[in-house]
Amino acid sequence: MCGIVGFTGSENAAPIILGGLEKLEYRGYDSAGIAVLNEGKINITKVTGRIAVLNEKTENGALLPGTAAIGHTRWATHGAPTDTNAHPHKSNNGKFAVVHNGIIENYLELKSSLTEKGYYFESETDTEVVVHLLEMYYNGDIKKCVRKVASKLKGSYALGILCTDEPGKIFATKLSSPLIIGIGAGENYFASDVTALVNHTQNVIYLEDGEYAEISPYEIKTFDCTGAEIKKAPSRIDWDIQAAEKGGYEHFMLKEIMEQPRAVKSAITPRIKDEKIVLEDLNLDLSKVRNILITACGSAYYAGCAGKYTIEKLCRIPVQVELASELRYSDPIIDESTLLIVLSQSGETADTIAAMKECSKRGAKTLAIVNVVGSTIAKLADFILYTHAGPEIAVATTKGYTTQLTLLYLFAVYAANNLGKITQDEYKNLINELASIPKLLQNTIDMNSKIGNTAKRYFNTDSMFFIGRNTDYALALEGALKMKEISYIHAESYAAGELKHGTIALISEGTPVIALLCNEDITEKTMSNILEVKSRGARVLAVCFNDNKKITMLANDIISVPRFNSIFSPILEIVPLQLLAYYVAKLNGCDIDKPKNLAKSVTVE
Ligand code: AGP
């Protein structure tokens, strides 16, 4: 996903922009660039490849003097990753430069009209229409010009702008894509997310859709969608740069796996008070909810699949889980009795936002379970539960997934009690079990400190199967995705009972099968599936409770987790699967924190 950064102050801007772009690398990108305003001229350097190439080409910014600048990391959507297609883009008259995160959906019609008017385009990007529109509409009043251009754009954008008539100033406006302003001392910033700002300031302003900002070293002016100046209260980021660094780990992903006990504790502790579950902000009459619809993408969707079983088991309310990219176009049957639960680490996933808007339009109440404070999904929701996982930098989510699952478990127990579906003793026991998860997570990590050795028997393969039933099947979905997205092994998840309906044809000598057996009610059934695949030559790695002795006769390898209530056990089982994927990917020599083709948050359709 693209990232934008802007700076204006008294010192040279380029090194600060380059440092900010490095903090956005985790979002995934294929090219980068920087524009600096100096002595009435905009100088641009842009490259294909990593920020390191940009550092080299600009001698760490020394070749680009000037105190106001904008920068960009590009994840290509329109046009291949090339120097020309990289941002920033400059107007034909050299007066404007622009960086953009999002998609201008009507760029083709704008491009053809601008071309007819004599503007020439250098790139294949949608973004370049913005900089030519700025030139066309500019008559000396930059605010009027930016608002006029914004009125012509359809789609999503976070725009950063430089203008040679406005020395020392940077400009920003947004629609759907995130944009945050950083408040410094004698210097100010903007960025796509706080990670690029937090080593300069923890005081930020979240721009809302349609708002516009004029930023100079000592002043930040914000305007609403009508052009009227507004005062926006600053927020304080509740974590510091150390949280966004590797902390001595080789990869962010390993650090974030190890952080899960703390992250889950941060999600749980503030919500268990006097032996009760307190869900801030959820002032919703649950007795009026007839059905629950969970929507998300990727791992967040798989967290929903796991949470579904727990909510249904305890609340006896039907729960559907739908992929956001499907739900948004499925003409869903939704009304006021539907509670939509939206799961998202970033809070900026385009498909999830679109599905949420569609369901809200049809009357659903929306509960957002997100990690990034002030994100678009958080702002759109009727009710918000933050996961408090802290910054998640690795593209492959780990603590994002487990804290989402934690919130779903908290919600399930809270709702079951609220609806009178469980006794007070059951309520108390379930709360105690939830409160024990952080410690059990740490025990799970400690139990699996040798999983790197197990990985040596599973890395050198083209395919891998993850099988399970019920909650274990939901977990198999996430286990397979982790393996796919960082080790590039074609891993498939299957309901264990489905193998005999076709997939078992793919099992041959040595095929790795990861069998999940932590759902007590149906473990025996999955053990028969293990026998089925073993008899066709499969190599079976079983994930089971540490006191399951029967499995030792069946599986080639075993991963243990502490015995736990099956409705919550996926939160433990996923940890060794994250570690397995991590070590397999390492053995495969993959770029673990920034897997090929992937972005940390997919803010485009
Ligand atoms: C998971 O490891 C991936 N990074 C991806 O599937 C991710 O879960 C998905 O894109 C949803 O992102 P979100 O939670 O930020 O909405």
Side-chain angles (χ1 to χ4, degrees):
M1 181 182 71
C2 298
I4 70 173
V5 179
F7 171 84
T8 179
S10 54
E11 55 183 301
N12 267 338
I16 293 167
I17 294 290
L18 292 166
L21 293 178
E22 281 168 355
K23 294 283 180 273
L24 295 185
E25 286 193 287
Y26 78 94
R27 295 159 67 92
Y29 72 105
D30 42 52
S31 52
I34 177 172
V36 184
L37 177 53
N38 188 38
E39 294 172 357
K41 198 168 167 303
I42 293 173
N43 300 305
I44 294 179
T45 302
K46 40 192 193 176
V47 298
T48 310
R50 295 289 187 210
I51 305 293
V53 180
L54 195 57
N55 272 323
E56 199 181 315
K57 205 164 176 186
T58 63
E59 291 179 15
N60 297 321
L63 300 181
L64 287 170
T67 59
I70 56 178
H72 187 264
T73 52
R74 178 173 183 249
W75 189 67
T77 53
H78 298 69
T82 62
D83 294 7
T84 313
N85 287 334
H87 304 199
H89 292 290
K90 189 153 65 167
S91 57
N92 292 162
N93 64 3
K95 197 176 274 295
F96 292 96
V98 164
V99 289
H100 168 224
N101 173 27
I103 284 194
I104 309 297
E105 291 173 355
N106 60 332
Y107 87 98
L108 284 174
E109 62 188 89
L110 291 169
K111 183 167 185 173
S112 113
S113 149
L114 284 159
T115 308
E116 277 165 23
K117 291 185 172 77
Y119 293 92
Y120 67 86
F121 283 76
E122 289 180 345
S123 77
E124 306 158 270
T125 67
D126 55 327
T127 303
E128 197 179 342
V129 298
V130 175
V131 80
H132 299 313
L133 286 171
L134 286 167
E135 177 179 344
M136 185 166 79
Y137 287 122
Y138 182 65
N139 60 7
D141 179 336
I142 180 110
K143 181 178 80 168
K144 208 166 145 204
C145 173
V146 173
R147 291 190 57 239
K148 175 84 175 170
V149 170
S151 71
K152 299 293 180 191
L153 304 179
K154 289 193 183 76
S156 58
Y157 53 81
L159 293 173
I161 299 165
L162 281 179
C163 175
T164 54
D165 289 354
E166 301 280 353
K169 280 189 182 178
I170 54 178
F171 305 89
T173 191
K174 71 160 297 238
L175 182 70
S176 296
S177 295
L179 193 55
I180 298 147
I181 296 169
I183 307 164
E187 57 190 37
N188 289 307
Y189 317 78
F190 66 65
S192 298
D193 79 41
V194 290
T195 317
L197 300 175
V198 75
N199 53 335
H200 298 294
T201 177
Q202 289 180 281
N203 298 314
V204 296
I205 292 171
Y206 293 96
L207 268 193
E208 306 287 342
D209 280 356
E211 292 179 348
Y212 157 77
E214 291 184 357
I215 305 168
S216 57
Y218 292 92
E219 189 179 38
I220 296 169
K221 283 180 156 181
T222 48
F223 302 84
D224 68 14
C225 54
T226 67
E229 188 164 356
I230 50 174
K231 284 284 168 244
K232 288 183 71 74
S235 308
R236 183 141 179 87
I237 301 167
D238 61 3
W239 46 271
D240 59 20
I241 189 61
Q242 277 65 42
E245 299 295 341
K246 283 186 192 168
Y249 286 94
E250 189 178 352
H251 297 100
F252 278 112
M253 183 177 176
L254 187 58
K255 175 190 173 213
E256 289 152 11
I257 290 171
M258 297 304 174
E259 278 181 340
Q260 289 179 115
R262 180 207 55 74
V264 167
K265 193 173 173 67
S266 307
I268 286 183
T269 307
R271 296 177 169 118
I272 295 179
K273 288 182 184 133
D274 307 328
E275 297 184 335
K276 289 194 179 332
I277 294 176
V278 179
L279 294 185
E280 71 282 1
D281 185 42
L282 189 61
N283 48 353
L284 167 70
D285 181 354
L286 288 165
S287 64
K288 294 200 168 50
V289 174
R290 290 285 166 271
N291 68 299
I292 293 173
L293 175 58
I294 300 175
T295 195
C297 298
S299 290
Y301 168 73
Y302 296 142
C305 293
K308 160 194 164 76
Y309 291 99
T310 310
I311 298 170
E312 285 189 338
K313 186 92 178 173
L314 295 178
C315 302
R316 308 317 294 161
I317 293 179
V319 179
Q320 273 171 281
V321 191
E322 298 284 348
L323 283 168
S325 54
E326 288 294 303
L327 178 63
R328 64 184 292 189
Y329 298 117
S330 66
D331 190 12
I333 300 163
I334 281 171
D335 62 22
E336 291 67 28
S337 69
T338 302
L339 171 63
L340 179 78
I341 298 180
V342 184
L343 300 171
S344 178
Q345 190 285 130
S346 65
E348 300 301 343
T349 301
D351 283 321
T352 308
I353 292 168
M356 180 181 188
K357 287 179 177 173
E358 187 57 37
C359 295
S360 189
K361 203 166 64 180
R362 295 168 185 244
K365 285 276 176 288
T366 57
L367 164 60
I369 294 178
V370 295
N371 190 34
V372 176
V373 174
S375 56
T376 302
I377 289 175
K379 286 189 283 197
L380 284 171
D382 297 314
F383 314 108
I384 310 168
L385 292 174
Y386 283 116
T387 54
H388 301 312
E392 187 176 66
I393 307 301
V395 165
T397 186
T398 49
K399 63 179 183 174
Y401 173 88
T402 45
T403 49
Q404 285 163 8
L405 211 40
T406 301
L407 264 299
L408 288 170
Y409 292 161
L410 280 164
F411 171 81
V413 177
Y414 168 88
N417 177 59
N418 188 291
L419 295 167
K421 299 290 183 188
I422 54 177
T423 66
Q424 288 310 293
D425 279 350
E426 286 168 335
Y427 182 43
K428 201 167 167 207
N429 291 337
L430 288 165
I431 288 176
N432 290 335
E433 286 181 328
L434 290 174
S436 70
I437 290 176
K439 176 136 185 47
L440 290 174
L441 277 170
Q442 191 54 56
N443 296 348
T444 304
I445 288 171
D446 298 343
M447 273 180 191
N448 290 283
S449 56
K450 301 273 182 289
I451 204 157
N453 295 333
T454 308
K456 289 175 187 157
R457 296 190 287 277
Y458 291 89
F459 79 99
N460 199 6
T461 179
D462 296 330
S463 68
M464 197 180 277
F465 290 89
F466 288 72
I467 65 170
R469 291 170 181 261
N470 208 280
T471 47
D472 279 335
Y473 170 49
L475 186 77
L477 295 164
E478 173 58 9
L481 177 61
K482 283 283 113 13
M483 187 62 74
K484 273 182 272 205
E485 64 179 331
I486 62 169
S487 74
Y488 311 149
I489 291 174
H490 188 179
E492 280 306 301
S493 50
Y494 268 89
E498 270 300 289
L499 280 167
K500 53 190 173 296
H501 298 290
T503 320
I504 203 160
L506 296 176
I507 304 294
S508 51
E509 194 54 40
T511 304
V513 175
I514 318 297
L516 307 173
L517 297 127
C518 291
N519 191 312
E520 281 298 82
D521 308 339
I522 41 182
T523 300
E524 295 302 323
K525 302 289 180 195
T526 308
M527 288 171 85
S528 341
N529 301 127
I530 291 177
L531 287 169
E532 283 165 18
V533 295
K534 288 267 306 174
S535 61
R536 289 161 178 84
R539 176 181 187 83
V540 174
L541 187 159
V543 181
C544 57
F545 292 133
N546 55 347
D547 56 5
N548 180 333
K549 301 303 173 217
K550 276 194 283 186
I551 194 64
T552 44
M553 277 90 83
L554 280 183
N556 300 84
D557 292 288
I558 289 177
I559 287 177
S560 300
V561 297
R563 175 165 291 283
F564 197 38
N565 186 337
S566 298
I567 61 172
F568 300 139
S569 60
I571 202 165
L572 304 183
E573 292 173 85
I574 190 59
V575 173
L577 295 181
Q578 293 164 347
L579 289 166
L580 181 69
Y582 172 81
Y583 286 108
V584 165
K586 208 169 165 204
L587 288 163
N588 284 352
C590 299
D591 184 346
I592 290 173
D593 283 337
K594 296 192 282 292
K596 66 180 180 183
N597 308 335
L598 295 182
K600 180 59 185 168
S601 169
V602 184
T603 58
V604 295
E605 262 207 71

